[in-house]
Amino acid sequence: MKRFLLLYNPLSGDGYFKNRLDSFVAGMQKRHCLIIPVRTERKEDTPALVALALELALDGILVAGGDGTVHAVVNALIAAEIDVPLGIIPCGTSNDVATFLRLDKDLDACANLFATGCVKKVDVGSVNGRYFLNVASAGLLTGVAHSVDQSLKSTLGKAAYYLKGFEELPRFRAIPVSIQADDLTIEGEVILFLVMNGGIVGSFTKIAPEARIDDGKLDLLIVHRCTLPELARILISLLSGSHFSHKAVQYLQASHVTITSPEELESDLDGELGPSLPLTIQALPRRISLFLPDHTTL
Protein backbone atom coordinates (compact mmCIF):
# COMPACT_ATOMS: atom_id res chain seq x y z
CA MET A 1 0.00 0.00 0.00
CA LYS A 2 1.38 3.41 -1.02
CA ARG A 3 1.47 6.12 1.62
CA PHE A 4 0.97 9.85 1.05
CA LEU A 5 1.03 12.95 3.24
CA LEU A 6 -1.83 15.25 2.22
CA LEU A 7 -1.32 18.93 3.08
CA TYR A 8 -4.48 20.93 2.50
CA ASN A 9 -5.27 24.58 3.05
CA PRO A 10 -8.90 24.86 4.28
CA LEU A 11 -8.94 28.56 3.34
CA SER A 12 -7.90 28.08 -0.30
CA GLY A 13 -10.37 29.33 -2.88
CA ASP A 14 -13.95 28.87 -1.73
CA GLY A 15 -13.15 25.96 0.58
CA TYR A 16 -14.02 23.45 -2.11
CA PHE A 17 -11.50 20.80 -1.10
CA LYS A 18 -12.22 20.61 2.64
CA ASN A 19 -15.82 19.75 1.77
CA ARG A 20 -14.63 16.92 -0.48
CA LEU A 21 -11.83 15.62 1.73
CA ASP A 22 -13.61 12.43 2.78
CA SER A 23 -14.54 11.65 -0.81
CA PHE A 24 -10.90 12.05 -1.89
CA VAL A 25 -9.60 9.86 0.95
CA ALA A 26 -12.13 7.19 0.03
CA GLY A 27 -11.03 7.34 -3.61
CA MET A 28 -7.39 6.90 -2.66
CA GLN A 29 -8.16 4.01 -0.29
CA LYS A 30 -10.07 2.31 -3.10
CA ARG A 31 -6.81 2.47 -5.05
CA HIS A 32 -4.87 0.93 -2.15
CA CYS A 33 -3.29 4.21 -1.04
CA LEU A 34 -3.10 5.42 2.56
CA ILE A 35 -3.62 9.16 3.13
CA ILE A 36 -2.36 11.14 6.14
CA PRO A 37 -4.29 14.45 6.00
CA VAL A 38 -2.88 17.57 7.70
CA ARG A 39 -4.28 21.14 7.72
CA THR A 40 -1.78 23.85 6.68
CA GLU A 41 -3.21 27.20 7.74
CA ARG A 42 0.24 28.44 8.89
CA LYS A 43 2.93 28.33 6.18
CA GLU A 44 5.67 28.45 8.83
CA ASP A 45 4.62 24.94 9.90
CA THR A 46 5.29 23.52 6.43
CA PRO A 47 9.00 22.56 6.87
CA ALA A 48 8.24 20.37 9.92
CA LEU A 49 5.34 18.71 8.11
CA VAL A 50 7.36 18.05 4.98
CA ALA A 51 10.08 16.43 7.11
CA LEU A 52 7.57 13.65 7.84
CA ALA A 53 8.19 12.43 4.29
CA LEU A 54 11.49 10.90 5.40
CA GLU A 55 10.36 9.83 8.87
CA LEU A 56 7.35 7.95 7.49
CA ALA A 57 9.03 6.75 4.24
CA LEU A 58 6.25 8.26 2.15
CA ASP A 59 5.66 7.65 -1.55
CA GLY A 60 4.69 11.27 -2.12
CA ILE A 61 3.41 14.55 -0.70
CA LEU A 62 0.06 15.83 -1.99
CA VAL A 63 -0.86 19.51 -1.80
CA ALA A 64 -4.41 20.82 -2.03
CA GLY A 65 -4.33 24.59 -2.28
CA GLY A 66 -3.31 27.54 -4.42
CA ASP A 67 0.07 28.65 -5.73
CA GLY A 68 1.10 29.98 -2.30
CA THR A 69 0.56 26.64 -0.59
CA VAL A 70 2.50 24.82 -3.33
CA HIS A 71 5.27 27.43 -3.05
CA ALA A 72 5.70 26.76 0.68
CA VAL A 73 5.98 23.00 0.15
CA VAL A 74 8.47 23.34 -2.74
CA ASN A 75 10.72 25.56 -0.59
CA ALA A 76 10.53 23.13 2.32
CA LEU A 77 11.37 20.14 0.10
CA ILE A 78 14.45 21.79 -1.42
CA ALA A 79 15.68 23.30 1.86
CA ALA A 80 15.55 19.87 3.50
CA GLU A 81 16.96 18.15 0.39
CA ILE A 82 14.03 15.74 0.32
CA ASP A 83 13.49 14.04 -3.04
CA VAL A 84 9.87 12.90 -2.70
CA PRO A 85 7.38 13.36 -5.58
CA LEU A 86 4.92 16.24 -5.19
CA GLY A 87 1.30 15.97 -6.29
CA ILE A 88 -0.79 19.13 -6.85
CA ILE A 89 -4.57 19.20 -6.35
CA PRO A 90 -5.70 22.57 -7.82
CA CYS A 91 -8.21 24.27 -5.52
CA GLY A 92 -6.97 27.78 -4.69
CA THR A 93 -7.98 31.22 -5.95
CA SER A 94 -4.98 31.18 -8.26
CA ASN A 95 -3.53 27.94 -9.64
CA ASP A 96 -1.15 29.17 -12.33
CA VAL A 97 1.24 26.19 -12.14
CA ALA A 98 -1.63 23.72 -12.33
CA THR A 99 -3.16 25.63 -15.25
CA PHE A 100 0.16 25.71 -17.12
CA LEU A 101 0.64 21.96 -16.60
CA ARG A 102 -3.03 21.33 -17.48
CA LEU A 103 -3.64 19.40 -14.26
CA ASP A 104 -7.17 18.05 -13.84
CA LYS A 105 -9.22 19.56 -11.00
CA ASP A 106 -11.43 16.47 -10.79
CA LEU A 107 -10.55 14.67 -7.55
CA ASP A 108 -11.11 11.20 -9.00
CA ALA A 109 -8.69 12.03 -11.83
CA CYS A 110 -6.18 13.29 -9.23
CA ALA A 111 -6.50 10.06 -7.27
CA ASN A 112 -5.85 8.02 -10.43
CA LEU A 113 -2.73 10.07 -11.18
CA PHE A 114 -1.21 9.72 -7.71
CA ALA A 115 -2.01 6.02 -7.43
CA THR A 116 -0.50 5.31 -10.84
CA GLY A 117 2.70 7.03 -9.79
CA CYS A 118 3.65 8.77 -13.05
CA VAL A 119 6.44 11.18 -12.07
CA LYS A 120 8.45 13.70 -14.10
CA LYS A 121 11.36 15.99 -13.18
CA VAL A 122 10.80 19.75 -13.53
CA ASP A 123 12.87 22.91 -13.13
CA VAL A 124 12.72 25.27 -10.17
CA GLY A 125 13.80 28.91 -10.02
CA SER A 126 16.23 30.05 -7.33
CA VAL A 127 16.29 33.65 -6.08
CA ASN A 128 18.47 34.89 -3.19
CA GLY A 129 18.34 31.53 -1.41
CA ARG A 130 14.61 31.00 -1.93
CA TYR A 131 12.78 29.09 -4.64
CA PHE A 132 9.81 29.47 -6.97
CA LEU A 133 8.03 26.99 -9.17
CA ASN A 134 6.23 29.47 -11.40
CA VAL A 135 7.30 33.14 -11.28
CA ALA A 136 9.41 35.82 -9.61
CA SER A 137 8.20 39.35 -10.25
CA ALA A 138 8.26 42.97 -9.13
CA GLY A 139 6.27 46.04 -10.08
CA LEU A 140 2.59 46.56 -10.68
CA LEU A 141 1.39 42.95 -10.45
CA THR A 142 3.40 42.35 -7.28
CA GLY A 143 1.63 45.16 -5.45
CA VAL A 144 -1.74 43.97 -6.65
CA ALA A 145 -1.19 40.40 -5.45
CA HIS A 146 -0.53 41.55 -1.89
CA SER A 147 -3.23 44.21 -1.65
CA VAL A 148 -6.30 42.24 -2.72
CA ASP A 149 -8.61 41.68 0.23
CA GLN A 150 -9.06 38.00 1.17
CA SER A 151 -12.85 38.32 1.28
CA LEU A 152 -12.82 39.85 -2.21
CA LYS A 153 -10.66 36.97 -3.49
CA SER A 154 -13.06 34.46 -1.97
CA THR A 155 -16.07 36.17 -3.54
CA LEU A 156 -14.72 37.11 -6.97
CA GLY A 157 -11.80 34.70 -7.40
CA LYS A 158 -9.42 35.65 -10.22
CA ALA A 159 -11.50 38.69 -11.16
CA ALA A 160 -10.40 40.34 -7.89
CA TYR A 161 -6.85 40.63 -9.23
CA TYR A 162 -8.00 42.26 -12.47
CA LEU A 163 -10.19 44.78 -10.66
CA LYS A 164 -7.44 45.70 -8.22
CA GLY A 165 -4.90 46.00 -11.04
CA PHE A 166 -6.92 48.59 -12.91
CA GLU A 167 -7.64 50.44 -9.67
CA GLU A 168 -3.89 50.83 -9.04
CA LEU A 169 -2.95 52.06 -12.53
CA PRO A 170 -3.28 55.85 -11.93
CA ARG A 171 -0.98 55.64 -8.87
CA PHE A 172 1.72 53.47 -10.38
CA ARG A 173 5.09 54.71 -11.67
CA ALA A 174 8.05 53.20 -13.49
CA ILE A 175 11.11 52.03 -11.51
CA PRO A 176 14.75 52.39 -12.72
CA VAL A 177 16.38 48.95 -12.98
CA SER A 178 19.38 47.19 -14.46
CA ILE A 179 18.76 43.65 -15.68
CA GLN A 180 21.53 41.25 -16.68
CA ALA A 181 20.07 38.25 -18.52
CA ASP A 182 22.96 35.92 -19.37
CA ASP A 183 25.10 38.11 -21.68
CA LEU A 184 22.43 40.77 -22.32
CA THR A 185 22.23 44.00 -20.27
CA ILE A 186 18.97 45.95 -20.09
CA GLU A 187 18.79 49.32 -18.35
CA GLY A 188 15.92 51.75 -18.04
CA GLU A 189 12.62 52.35 -16.28
CA VAL A 190 10.20 49.44 -16.10
CA ILE A 191 6.64 49.14 -14.88
CA LEU A 192 6.92 45.45 -14.14
CA PHE A 193 9.05 42.43 -14.87
CA LEU A 194 8.22 38.74 -14.72
CA VAL A 195 10.86 36.00 -14.51
CA MET A 196 8.92 32.84 -15.31
CA ASN A 197 9.56 29.13 -15.00
CA GLY A 198 6.03 28.39 -16.20
CA GLY A 199 4.17 30.44 -18.79
CA ILE A 200 1.00 31.56 -17.00
CA VAL A 201 0.93 34.37 -14.44
CA GLY A 202 -2.07 35.92 -12.69
CA SER A 203 -4.36 33.49 -14.51
CA PHE A 204 -3.72 35.33 -17.77
CA THR A 205 -3.60 33.50 -21.07
CA LYS A 206 -0.18 31.91 -21.62
CA ILE A 207 2.09 34.97 -21.76
CA ALA A 208 5.40 33.17 -22.35
CA PRO A 209 4.83 31.14 -25.52
CA GLU A 210 8.22 29.40 -25.43
CA ALA A 211 8.11 28.55 -21.72
CA ARG A 212 8.81 24.95 -20.71
CA ILE A 213 9.20 23.81 -17.14
CA ASP A 214 12.01 21.38 -17.95
CA ASP A 215 14.26 23.30 -20.37
CA GLY A 216 16.71 24.80 -17.86
CA LYS A 217 15.69 28.33 -18.90
CA LEU A 218 13.74 31.22 -17.44
CA ASP A 219 11.37 33.37 -19.50
CA LEU A 220 11.51 37.13 -18.94
CA LEU A 221 8.71 39.52 -19.76
CA ILE A 222 9.48 43.20 -19.19
CA VAL A 223 7.05 46.10 -19.55
CA HIS A 224 9.05 49.27 -20.06
CA ARG A 225 7.92 52.79 -19.20
CA CYS A 226 4.86 53.82 -21.22
CA THR A 227 1.82 56.07 -20.97
CA LEU A 228 -1.18 55.17 -18.81
CA PRO A 229 -3.43 54.44 -21.83
CA GLU A 230 -0.69 52.22 -23.29
CA LEU A 231 -0.31 50.36 -19.99
CA ALA A 232 -4.06 49.77 -19.80
CA ARG A 233 -4.00 48.32 -23.32
CA ILE A 234 -1.05 46.07 -22.42
CA LEU A 235 -2.84 44.69 -19.35
CA ILE A 236 -5.95 44.01 -21.41
CA SER A 237 -3.89 42.34 -24.13
CA LEU A 238 -2.34 40.00 -21.53
CA LEU A 239 -5.76 38.36 -21.31
CA SER A 240 -5.68 37.46 -24.98
CA GLY A 241 -1.95 36.79 -25.40
CA SER A 242 -1.52 39.62 -27.93
CA HIS A 243 0.82 41.72 -25.76
CA PHE A 244 3.87 41.11 -27.96
CA SER A 245 2.59 43.64 -30.48
CA HIS A 246 3.34 46.45 -28.00
CA LYS A 247 6.72 48.17 -28.36
CA ALA A 248 6.95 48.60 -24.57
CA VAL A 249 6.92 44.82 -24.01
CA GLN A 250 10.17 42.84 -24.20
CA TYR A 251 10.39 39.03 -24.03
CA LEU A 252 13.51 36.85 -23.86
CA GLN A 253 14.92 33.67 -22.31
CA ALA A 254 17.94 33.23 -20.03
CA SER A 255 19.27 30.75 -17.49
CA HIS A 256 20.75 33.36 -15.13
CA VAL A 257 19.31 36.80 -14.31
CA THR A 258 20.38 39.59 -11.95
CA ILE A 259 18.18 42.60 -11.25
CA THR A 260 19.26 45.73 -9.38
CA SER A 261 17.68 49.11 -8.69
CA PRO A 262 18.71 52.26 -6.79
CA GLU A 263 15.23 52.22 -5.24
CA GLU A 264 13.84 49.85 -2.65
CA LEU A 265 11.57 47.33 -4.33
CA GLU A 266 10.03 44.12 -3.03
CA SER A 267 9.60 41.04 -5.15
CA ASP A 268 6.92 38.38 -5.35
CA LEU A 269 7.54 34.63 -5.57
CA ASP A 270 4.56 32.55 -6.70
CA GLY A 271 2.16 35.05 -5.14
CA GLU A 272 4.10 35.25 -1.84
CA LEU A 273 6.18 38.19 -0.64
CA GLY A 274 9.77 37.69 -1.80
CA PRO A 275 13.14 39.33 -1.06
CA SER A 276 13.88 42.96 -1.89
CA LEU A 277 16.13 43.89 -4.83
CA PRO A 278 18.86 43.19 -5.78
CA LEU A 279 17.87 39.73 -7.02
CA THR A 280 20.05 36.92 -8.33
CA ILE A 281 17.85 34.44 -10.16
CA GLN A 282 18.75 31.20 -11.88
CA ALA A 283 17.10 28.09 -13.22
CA LEU A 284 17.77 24.83 -11.37
CA PRO A 285 17.24 22.16 -14.04
CA ARG A 286 14.98 19.21 -13.15
CA ARG A 287 15.22 19.97 -9.44
CA ILE A 288 12.02 18.39 -8.11
CA SER A 289 9.63 15.58 -9.09
CA LEU A 290 5.94 16.14 -9.86
CA PHE A 291 3.11 13.68 -10.39
CA LEU A 292 2.11 14.41 -13.99
CA PRO A 293 0.06 12.49 -16.58
CA ASP A 294 2.00 10.58 -19.25
CA HIS A 295 0.61 12.85 -21.98
CA THR A 296 1.72 16.10 -20.28
CA THR A 297 3.90 18.24 -22.57
CA LEU A 298 6.19 20.31 -20.38
Side-chain angles (χ1 to χ4, degrees), residues 96 100 134 196-201 204-209 211-212:
D96 290 339
F100 178 69
N134 190 52
M196 297 168 281
N197 187 36
I200 293 178
V201 178
F204 289 115
T205 300
K206 189 173 180 180
I207 59 177
R212 293 175 58 90

Side-chain angles (χ1 to χ4, degrees), residues 12 31 64 98 104 108 113 130-131 138 141 152 165 170 192 196 224 226 276 278 286:
S12 284
R31 295 168 173 85
D104 201 322
D108 196 58
L113 172 61
R130 291 177 58 182
Y131 307 95
L141 295 183
L152 189 64
L192 68 91
M196 297 168 281
H224 294 273
C226 59
S276 298
R286 301 174 183 262

Side-chain angles (χ1 to χ4, degrees), residues 20 42 59 64 171 212 223 236 273 288 298:
R20 298 288 308 280
R42 288 164 31 101
D59 294 285
R171 294 189 290 273
R212 293 175 58 90
V223 178
I236 292 172
L273 188 63
I288 65 168
L298 300 178

Side-chain angles (χ1 to χ4, degrees), residues 71-255:
H71 172 82
V73 175
V74 167
N75 272 267
L77 281 171
I78 296 177
E81 298 184 348
I82 297 175
D83 186 16
V84 173
L86 176 63
I88 300 174
I89 304 172
C91 59
T93 302
S94 178
N95 295 279
D96 290 339
V97 170
T99 301
F100 178 69
L101 294 173
R102 298 181 295 281
L103 297 180
D104 201 322
K105 294 183 179 180
D106 179 76
L107 294 184
D108 196 58
C110 289
N112 272 332
L113 172 61
F114 306 144
T116 301
C118 183
V119 173
K120 298 183 180 181
K121 289 283 190 179
V122 302
D123 301 343
V124 170
S126 167
V127 50
N128 293 16
R130 291 177 58 182
Y131 307 95
F132 63 94
L133 189 55
N134 190 52
V135 63
S137 66
L140 177 61
L141 295 183
T142 300
V144 168
H146 298 291
S147 60
V148 175
D149 182 79
Q150 180 61 47
S151 62
L152 189 64
K153 289 168 60 178
S154 300
T155 304
L156 299 179
K158 299 173 184 177
Y161 293 112
Y162 305 147
L163 293 175
K164 188 65 177 179
F166 283 103
E167 176 187 315
E168 294 292 327
L169 286 184
R171 294 189 290 273
F172 200 77
R173 64 183 181 83
I175 304 295
V177 299
S178 176
I179 300 175
Q180 185 74 34
D182 289 343
D183 297 327
L184 177 65
T185 300
I186 302 167
E187 295 188 347
E189 293 185 307
V190 305
I191 292 174
L192 68 91
F193 66 79
L194 306 173
V195 182
M196 297 168 281
N197 187 36
I200 293 178
V201 178
S203 302
F204 289 115
T205 300
K206 189 173 180 180
I207 59 177
E210 298 178 24
R212 293 175 58 90
I213 204 167
D214 66 344
D215 61 357
K217 296 180 181 179
L218 298 167
D219 292 69
L220 280 69
L221 189 141
I222 305 165
V223 178
H224 294 273
R225 183 186 183 96
C226 59
T227 66
L228 182 58
E230 287 175 328
L231 178 57
R233 287 195 293 271
I234 289 172
L235 292 180
I236 292 172
S237 68
L238 286 172
L239 295 170
S240 62
S242 62
H243 48 286
F244 295 103
S245 61
H246 293 270
K247 61 182 180 180
V249 177
Q250 184 175 6
Y251 171 72
L252 63 143
Q253 291 185 310
S255 58

